[in-house]
mmCIF file of all heavy atoms in Angstrom:
data_model
loop_
_atom_site.group_PDB
_atom_site.id
_atom_site.type_symbol
_atom_site.label_atom_id
_atom_site.label_comp_id
_atom_site.label_asym_id
_atom_site.label_seq_id
_atom_site.Cartn_x
_atom_site.Cartn_y
_atom_site.Cartn_z
ATOM 1 N N LEU A 491 136.888 -13.825 -6.084
ATOM 2 C CA LEU A 491 137.059 -14.533 -4.816
ATOM 3 C C LEU A 491 136.909 -16.046 -4.982
ATOM 4 O O LEU A 491 137.673 -16.818 -4.392
ATOM 5 C CB LEU A 491 136.064 -14.014 -3.780
ATOM 6 C CG LEU A 491 136.357 -12.643 -3.204
ATOM 7 C CD1 LEU A 491 135.224 -12.197 -2.292
ATOM 8 C CD2 LEU A 491 137.672 -12.651 -2.453
ATOM 9 N N CYS A 492 135.955 -16.471 -5.792
ATOM 10 C CA CYS A 492 135.782 -17.910 -6.038
ATOM 11 C C CYS A 492 136.987 -18.498 -6.763
ATOM 12 O O CYS A 492 137.450 -19.600 -6.425
ATOM 13 C CB CYS A 492 134.510 -18.159 -6.833
ATOM 14 S SG CYS A 492 133.000 -17.840 -5.931
ATOM 15 N N LEU A 493 137.493 -17.799 -7.755
ATOM 16 C CA LEU A 493 138.677 -18.285 -8.472
ATOM 17 C C LEU A 493 139.914 -18.287 -7.586
ATOM 18 O O LEU A 493 140.761 -19.168 -7.706
ATOM 19 C CB LEU A 493 138.942 -17.437 -9.716
ATOM 20 C CG LEU A 493 138.207 -17.884 -10.958
ATOM 21 C CD1 LEU A 493 138.377 -16.861 -12.058
ATOM 22 C CD2 LEU A 493 138.681 -19.230 -11.412
ATOM 23 N N PHE A 494 140.017 -17.316 -6.711
ATOM 24 C CA PHE A 494 141.126 -17.316 -5.764
ATOM 25 C C PHE A 494 141.055 -18.538 -4.855
ATOM 26 O O PHE A 494 142.063 -19.203 -4.615
ATOM 27 C CB PHE A 494 141.116 -16.023 -4.937
ATOM 28 C CG PHE A 494 142.232 -15.952 -3.943
ATOM 29 C CD1 PHE A 494 143.522 -15.696 -4.361
ATOM 30 C CD2 PHE A 494 141.988 -16.139 -2.594
ATOM 31 C CE1 PHE A 494 144.565 -15.635 -3.452
ATOM 32 C CE2 PHE A 494 143.010 -16.078 -1.671
ATOM 33 C CZ PHE A 494 144.310 -15.827 -2.104
ATOM 34 N N GLY A 495 139.868 -18.841 -4.369
ATOM 35 C CA GLY A 495 139.691 -20.038 -3.547
ATOM 36 C C GLY A 495 140.010 -21.309 -4.314
ATOM 37 O O GLY A 495 140.648 -22.230 -3.775
ATOM 38 N N LEU A 496 139.575 -21.386 -5.572
ATOM 39 C CA LEU A 496 139.877 -22.548 -6.408
ATOM 40 C C LEU A 496 141.372 -22.699 -6.637
ATOM 41 O O LEU A 496 141.915 -23.804 -6.572
ATOM 42 C CB LEU A 496 139.158 -22.437 -7.752
ATOM 43 C CG LEU A 496 139.450 -23.524 -8.765
ATOM 44 C CD1 LEU A 496 138.753 -24.811 -8.348
ATOM 45 C CD2 LEU A 496 139.030 -23.101 -10.141
ATOM 46 N N THR A 497 142.050 -21.605 -6.862
ATOM 47 C CA THR A 497 143.489 -21.649 -7.107
ATOM 48 C C THR A 497 144.249 -22.068 -5.854
ATOM 49 O O THR A 497 145.160 -22.907 -5.924
ATOM 50 C CB THR A 497 143.974 -20.274 -7.597
ATOM 51 O OG1 THR A 497 143.245 -19.926 -8.772
ATOM 52 C CG2 THR A 497 145.441 -20.290 -7.921
ATOM 53 N N VAL A 498 143.881 -21.513 -4.722
ATOM 54 C CA VAL A 498 144.534 -21.899 -3.469
ATOM 55 C C VAL A 498 144.267 -23.366 -3.157
ATOM 56 O O VAL A 498 145.164 -24.106 -2.749
ATOM 57 C CB VAL A 498 144.069 -20.977 -2.316
ATOM 58 C CG1 VAL A 498 144.499 -21.515 -0.970
ATOM 59 C CG2 VAL A 498 144.602 -19.580 -2.526
ATOM 60 N N TRP A 499 143.033 -23.811 -3.389
ATOM 61 C CA TRP A 499 142.690 -25.211 -3.173
ATOM 62 C C TRP A 499 143.502 -26.124 -4.091
ATOM 63 O O TRP A 499 143.989 -27.171 -3.671
ATOM 64 C CB TRP A 499 141.197 -25.428 -3.396
ATOM 65 C CG TRP A 499 140.768 -26.848 -3.269
ATOM 66 C CD1 TRP A 499 140.548 -27.536 -2.130
ATOM 67 C CD2 TRP A 499 140.534 -27.752 -4.346
ATOM 68 N NE1 TRP A 499 140.173 -28.817 -2.426
ATOM 69 C CE2 TRP A 499 140.158 -28.980 -3.780
ATOM 70 C CE3 TRP A 499 140.592 -27.642 -5.735
ATOM 71 C CZ2 TRP A 499 139.852 -30.088 -4.547
ATOM 72 C CZ3 TRP A 499 140.279 -28.748 -6.490
ATOM 73 C CH2 TRP A 499 139.919 -29.949 -5.904
ATOM 74 N N GLY A 500 143.659 -25.743 -5.368
ATOM 75 C CA GLY A 500 144.442 -26.542 -6.304
ATOM 76 C C GLY A 500 145.909 -26.632 -5.915
ATOM 77 O O GLY A 500 146.521 -27.696 -6.011
ATOM 78 N N ILE A 501 146.464 -25.532 -5.448
ATOM 79 C CA ILE A 501 147.861 -25.546 -5.011
ATOM 80 C C ILE A 501 148.015 -26.413 -3.766
ATOM 81 O O ILE A 501 148.963 -27.201 -3.661
ATOM 82 C CB ILE A 501 148.367 -24.105 -4.773
ATOM 83 C CG1 ILE A 501 148.480 -23.373 -6.108
ATOM 84 C CG2 ILE A 501 149.699 -24.105 -4.048
ATOM 85 C CD1 ILE A 501 148.766 -21.901 -5.980
ATOM 86 N N PHE A 502 147.081 -26.307 -2.832
ATOM 87 C CA PHE A 502 147.140 -27.120 -1.622
ATOM 88 C C PHE A 502 146.993 -28.603 -1.946
ATOM 89 O O PHE A 502 147.752 -29.432 -1.443
ATOM 90 C CB PHE A 502 146.048 -26.677 -0.641
ATOM 91 C CG PHE A 502 145.988 -27.527 0.589
ATOM 92 C CD1 PHE A 502 146.962 -27.411 1.567
ATOM 93 C CD2 PHE A 502 144.965 -28.440 0.767
ATOM 94 C CE1 PHE A 502 146.924 -28.198 2.695
ATOM 95 C CE2 PHE A 502 144.911 -29.230 1.888
ATOM 96 C CZ PHE A 502 145.891 -29.108 2.857
ATOM 97 N N GLN A 503 146.026 -28.949 -2.778
ATOM 98 C CA GLN A 503 145.828 -30.352 -3.143
ATOM 99 C C GLN A 503 147.009 -30.892 -3.936
ATOM 100 O O GLN A 503 147.383 -32.055 -3.785
ATOM 101 C CB GLN A 503 144.540 -30.520 -3.956
ATOM 102 C CG GLN A 503 143.288 -30.343 -3.153
ATOM 103 C CD GLN A 503 143.125 -31.416 -2.099
ATOM 104 O OE1 GLN A 503 143.487 -32.564 -2.292
ATOM 105 N NE2 GLN A 503 142.573 -31.015 -0.978
ATOM 106 N N GLY A 504 147.593 -30.057 -4.777
ATOM 107 C CA GLY A 504 148.770 -30.487 -5.535
ATOM 108 C C GLY A 504 149.963 -30.752 -4.650
ATOM 109 O O GLY A 504 150.777 -31.636 -4.931
ATOM 110 N N SER A 505 150.085 -30.005 -3.572
ATOM 111 C CA SER A 505 151.209 -30.239 -2.665
ATOM 112 C C SER A 505 150.977 -31.463 -1.777
ATOM 113 O O SER A 505 151.927 -32.051 -1.280
ATOM 114 C CB SER A 505 151.465 -29.014 -1.800
ATOM 115 O OG SER A 505 150.384 -28.798 -0.926
ATOM 116 N N GLN A 506 149.730 -31.860 -1.597
ATOM 117 C CA GLN A 506 149.414 -33.019 -0.769
ATOM 118 C C GLN A 506 149.410 -34.326 -1.558
ATOM 119 O O GLN A 506 149.566 -35.392 -0.973
ATOM 120 C CB GLN A 506 148.034 -32.844 -0.118
ATOM 121 C CG GLN A 506 147.928 -31.652 0.791
ATOM 122 C CD GLN A 506 148.849 -31.749 1.987
ATOM 123 O OE1 GLN A 506 148.978 -32.792 2.583
ATOM 124 N NE2 GLN A 506 149.510 -30.650 2.300
ATOM 125 N N SER A 507 149.221 -34.250 -2.866
ATOM 126 C CA SER A 507 149.120 -35.447 -3.705
ATOM 127 C C SER A 507 150.473 -35.811 -4.302
ATOM 128 O O SER A 507 151.428 -35.042 -4.237
ATOM 129 C CB SER A 507 148.118 -35.212 -4.833
ATOM 130 O OG SER A 507 146.856 -34.903 -4.323
ATOM 131 N N GLN A 508 150.498 -36.978 -4.921
ATOM 132 C CA GLN A 508 151.707 -37.434 -5.607
ATOM 133 C C GLN A 508 151.332 -37.932 -6.993
ATOM 134 O O GLN A 508 150.207 -38.350 -7.236
ATOM 135 C CB GLN A 508 152.372 -38.563 -4.837
ATOM 136 C CG GLN A 508 152.929 -38.145 -3.517
ATOM 137 C CD GLN A 508 153.582 -39.301 -2.788
ATOM 138 O OE1 GLN A 508 153.533 -40.434 -3.240
ATOM 139 N NE2 GLN A 508 154.193 -39.013 -1.661
ATOM 140 N N GLY A 509 152.295 -37.897 -7.884
ATOM 141 C CA GLY A 509 152.115 -38.463 -9.218
ATOM 142 C C GLY A 509 151.260 -37.591 -10.119
ATOM 143 O O GLY A 509 151.347 -36.365 -10.107
ATOM 144 N N TRP A 510 150.415 -38.255 -10.918
ATOM 145 C CA TRP A 510 149.607 -37.559 -11.914
ATOM 146 C C TRP A 510 148.517 -36.707 -11.279
ATOM 147 O O TRP A 510 148.075 -35.725 -11.872
ATOM 148 C CB TRP A 510 148.984 -38.562 -12.885
ATOM 149 C CG TRP A 510 149.992 -39.153 -13.799
ATOM 150 C CD1 TRP A 510 150.521 -40.402 -13.739
ATOM 151 C CD2 TRP A 510 150.623 -38.512 -14.898
ATOM 152 N NE1 TRP A 510 151.442 -40.585 -14.731
ATOM 153 C CE2 TRP A 510 151.521 -39.435 -15.462
ATOM 154 C CE3 TRP A 510 150.527 -37.243 -15.464
ATOM 155 C CZ2 TRP A 510 152.304 -39.132 -16.562
ATOM 156 C CZ3 TRP A 510 151.303 -36.957 -16.563
ATOM 157 C CH2 TRP A 510 152.183 -37.888 -17.094
ATOM 158 N N ASP A 511 148.063 -37.074 -10.097
ATOM 159 C CA ASP A 511 147.054 -36.251 -9.426
ATOM 160 C C ASP A 511 147.607 -34.869 -9.103
ATOM 161 O O ASP A 511 146.934 -33.857 -9.314
ATOM 162 C CB ASP A 511 146.582 -36.924 -8.144
ATOM 163 C CG ASP A 511 145.765 -38.169 -8.407
ATOM 164 O OD1 ASP A 511 145.208 -38.282 -9.508
ATOM 165 O OD2 ASP A 511 145.694 -39.018 -7.501
ATOM 166 N N ALA A 512 148.803 -34.818 -8.594
ATOM 167 C CA ALA A 512 149.428 -33.530 -8.283
ATOM 168 C C ALA A 512 149.625 -32.708 -9.544
ATOM 169 O O ALA A 512 149.423 -31.489 -9.544
ATOM 170 C CB ALA A 512 150.766 -33.748 -7.589
ATOM 171 N N PHE A 513 149.992 -33.373 -10.630
ATOM 172 C CA PHE A 513 150.171 -32.692 -11.906
ATOM 173 C C PHE A 513 148.856 -32.086 -12.385
ATOM 174 O O PHE A 513 148.813 -30.949 -12.865
ATOM 175 C CB PHE A 513 150.726 -33.681 -12.933
ATOM 176 C CG PHE A 513 151.154 -33.064 -14.219
ATOM 177 C CD1 PHE A 513 152.210 -32.179 -14.258
ATOM 178 C CD2 PHE A 513 150.491 -33.360 -15.387
ATOM 179 C CE1 PHE A 513 152.612 -31.604 -15.448
ATOM 180 C CE2 PHE A 513 150.885 -32.798 -16.582
ATOM 181 C CZ PHE A 513 151.934 -31.914 -16.608
ATOM 182 N N GLY A 514 147.770 -32.800 -12.224
ATOM 183 C CA GLY A 514 146.456 -32.290 -12.619
ATOM 184 C C GLY A 514 146.029 -31.091 -11.798
ATOM 185 O O GLY A 514 145.478 -30.120 -12.328
ATOM 186 N N TYR A 515 146.275 -31.141 -10.498
ATOM 187 C CA TYR A 515 145.929 -30.005 -9.653
ATOM 188 C C TYR A 515 146.771 -28.775 -9.991
ATOM 189 O O TYR A 515 146.275 -27.648 -9.955
ATOM 190 C CB TYR A 515 146.103 -30.353 -8.176
ATOM 191 C CG TYR A 515 145.044 -31.276 -7.633
ATOM 192 C CD1 TYR A 515 145.381 -32.480 -7.037
ATOM 193 C CD2 TYR A 515 143.705 -30.939 -7.711
ATOM 194 C CE1 TYR A 515 144.416 -33.330 -6.525
ATOM 195 C CE2 TYR A 515 142.724 -31.775 -7.210
ATOM 196 C CZ TYR A 515 143.083 -32.969 -6.614
ATOM 197 O OH TYR A 515 142.123 -33.790 -6.118
ATOM 198 N N MET A 516 148.015 -28.968 -10.303
ATOM 199 C CA MET A 516 148.864 -27.829 -10.658
ATOM 200 C C MET A 516 148.470 -27.240 -12.011
ATOM 201 O O MET A 516 148.548 -26.025 -12.211
ATOM 202 C CB MET A 516 150.335 -28.239 -10.665
ATOM 203 C CG MET A 516 150.905 -28.417 -9.291
ATOM 204 S SD MET A 516 150.783 -26.879 -8.371
ATOM 205 C CE MET A 516 150.745 -27.478 -6.725
ATOM 206 N N ILE A 517 148.046 -28.095 -12.943
ATOM 207 C CA ILE A 517 147.535 -27.577 -14.218
ATOM 208 C C ILE A 517 146.296 -26.739 -13.969
ATOM 209 O O ILE A 517 146.144 -25.645 -14.524
ATOM 210 C CB ILE A 517 147.248 -28.724 -15.199
ATOM 211 C CG1 ILE A 517 148.550 -29.279 -15.753
ATOM 212 C CG2 ILE A 517 146.356 -28.261 -16.346
ATOM 213 C CD1 ILE A 517 148.369 -30.493 -16.633
ATOM 214 N N LEU A 518 145.417 -27.247 -13.126
ATOM 215 C CA LEU A 518 144.194 -26.506 -12.807
ATOM 216 C C LEU A 518 144.513 -25.143 -12.219
ATOM 217 O O LEU A 518 143.958 -24.129 -12.643
ATOM 218 C CB LEU A 518 143.338 -27.309 -11.829
ATOM 219 C CG LEU A 518 142.109 -26.597 -11.279
ATOM 220 C CD1 LEU A 518 141.048 -26.515 -12.362
ATOM 221 C CD2 LEU A 518 141.585 -27.315 -10.067
ATOM 222 N N SER A 519 145.418 -25.106 -11.269
ATOM 223 C CA SER A 519 145.679 -23.836 -10.589
ATOM 224 C C SER A 519 146.586 -22.907 -11.384
ATOM 225 O O SER A 519 146.342 -21.705 -11.441
ATOM 226 C CB SER A 519 146.268 -24.089 -9.205
ATOM 227 O OG SER A 519 147.505 -24.731 -9.316
ATOM 228 N N ASN A 520 147.629 -23.429 -11.996
ATOM 229 C CA ASN A 520 148.619 -22.562 -12.647
ATOM 230 C C ASN A 520 148.291 -22.212 -14.089
ATOM 231 O O ASN A 520 148.621 -21.115 -14.540
ATOM 232 C CB ASN A 520 150.000 -23.192 -12.587
ATOM 233 C CG ASN A 520 150.529 -23.259 -11.184
ATOM 234 O OD1 ASN A 520 150.144 -22.485 -10.334
ATOM 235 N ND2 ASN A 520 151.403 -24.215 -10.934
ATOM 236 N N LEU A 521 147.667 -23.114 -14.824
ATOM 237 C CA LEU A 521 147.396 -22.840 -16.233
ATOM 238 C C LEU A 521 145.989 -22.327 -16.487
ATOM 239 O O LEU A 521 145.726 -21.761 -17.546
ATOM 240 C CB LEU A 521 147.634 -24.093 -17.086
ATOM 241 C CG LEU A 521 149.065 -24.577 -17.175
ATOM 242 C CD1 LEU A 521 149.157 -25.786 -18.079
ATOM 243 C CD2 LEU A 521 149.987 -23.491 -17.675
ATOM 244 N N ILE A 522 145.084 -22.524 -15.535
ATOM 245 C CA ILE A 522 143.718 -22.046 -15.718
ATOM 246 C C ILE A 522 143.366 -21.000 -14.666
ATOM 247 O O ILE A 522 142.896 -19.913 -14.995
ATOM 248 C CB ILE A 522 142.726 -23.218 -15.690
ATOM 249 C CG1 ILE A 522 142.995 -24.158 -16.858
ATOM 250 C CG2 ILE A 522 141.295 -22.716 -15.743
ATOM 251 C CD1 ILE A 522 142.193 -25.435 -16.831
ATOM 252 N N GLY A 523 143.587 -21.302 -13.413
ATOM 253 C CA GLY A 523 143.154 -20.418 -12.330
ATOM 254 C C GLY A 523 143.877 -19.092 -12.281
ATOM 255 O O GLY A 523 143.242 -18.029 -12.222
ATOM 256 N N LEU A 524 145.191 -19.126 -12.293
ATOM 257 C CA LEU A 524 145.957 -17.874 -12.162
ATOM 258 C C LEU A 524 145.786 -16.930 -13.350
ATOM 259 O O LEU A 524 145.580 -15.729 -13.137
ATOM 260 C CB LEU A 524 147.432 -18.190 -11.923
ATOM 261 C CG LEU A 524 147.752 -18.787 -10.545
ATOM 262 C CD1 LEU A 524 149.229 -19.127 -10.460
ATOM 263 C CD2 LEU A 524 147.364 -17.844 -9.441
ATOM 264 N N LEU A 527 142.261 -15.470 -13.101
ATOM 265 C CA LEU A 527 142.213 -14.535 -11.977
ATOM 266 C C LEU A 527 142.894 -13.219 -12.334
ATOM 267 O O LEU A 527 142.360 -12.137 -12.079
ATOM 268 C CB LEU A 527 142.879 -15.174 -10.762
ATOM 269 C CG LEU A 527 142.771 -14.480 -9.431
ATOM 270 C CD1 LEU A 527 141.325 -14.455 -8.974
ATOM 271 C CD2 LEU A 527 143.615 -15.208 -8.407
#
Side-chain angles (χ1 to χ4, degrees):
L491 286 175
C492 291
L493 273 171
F494 180 75
L496 176 74
T497 303
V498 168
W499 177 79
I501 291 171
F502 176 74
Q503 289 295 325
S505 66
Q506 299 297 318
S507 301
Q508 293 180 355
W510 288 105
D511 291 337
F513 189 65
Y515 287 123
M516 286 300 154
I517 285 175
L518 173 74
S519 63
N520 293 335
L521 293 182
I522 296 173
L524 290 177
L527 189 65

